Amino acid sequence: MRERILALVDELKRRKADGDELVYVAPESIAALRTAVRAKQGAGAAQADAAPSRRLADAAPAIDRQAPAVLPVADEPAFEMKPYRKPAPAVVVEQGPALPEPPSFTVPEGDKRMRWEWLRDRVLNCPVCKANLNPGKQIVFGNGNIDADIFFCGEAPGADEETQGIPFVGKAGQLLIKIISAMGLSREQVYIGNIMNWRPQTGQATGNRPPTEEEMAFCLPYLMAQVEVVRPKVIVALGNTAVTGLMGPDKNRRLGKIRGQWFDFKGTPLMPTYHPSYVLQYGSNAVKRQIWEDMLTVMERVGLPISEKQQGYFR
Ligand code: URA
């Protein structure tokens, strides 16, 4: 019962994060939530409205999470998750640092490796990127196989990435690598980059914040140039920020509605899906299955073989 309630709460939070404001919750589920709230707060606490259609903000009670929020799965899971741990809330900034116009440059003609190294050198020496680094930290440029068919694009470096100077080496990165290996690939066979080359500063010792539109616009030419050099068959945009960075801002766009469909990024097919950190946070089986379905679509598009076992993950 406890796991089902946690799964329901995760699903409600996921739908809320996707922008749904109202959702139908079956009376049995509300009764189960009430019981959980009573158990936590005492019999007097549960005086919620009995109407089956509820505001999402009201429908997710605080429940201690000592157990992992993982549903039993029928088939073998493709990628396992660590027990849920609430992340530090994202820091919201009204305005980021003032930035100059986005850089304008042309990658010289020539050998692919030479072009990639020229670009990497240019980014690692970008004065604006350097000026926006946290003290003692590093610029993070894309890495992996420059002949890759699949280009994974994330948001921005986190604490681990800015320390090591490599994208996706923290917890979200470990999950991304598990997803990649469930696809039958290794990190060395794909290319991994980010919208941002630096970790957006928060002015605090901990916590992340999403990049501002201006920050994303500044870094976009560097990402576009990586796509131009690598020439992948597809780009996988991981999460809302990557989608916004690549497709442009749109307040009405909902990742939950557009994921799994193909879009175009300057001639390269683009697949939006959830960010691995979203799976770590709202890791219901439904979310894992959705990401996995998106990856199956990507595999099909680039001509990777798909086994029956892979088809069955999270079914
Ligand atoms: N999240 C991202 O989007 N990128 C990273 O490099 C790490 C975490």
Side-chain angles (χ1 to χ4, degrees), residues 140 154-158 161 166-169 172-173 194 275:
V140 179
E155 172 178 328
E161 290 78 18
I166 303 170
F168 281 100
V169 288
N194 275 316
H275 193 285

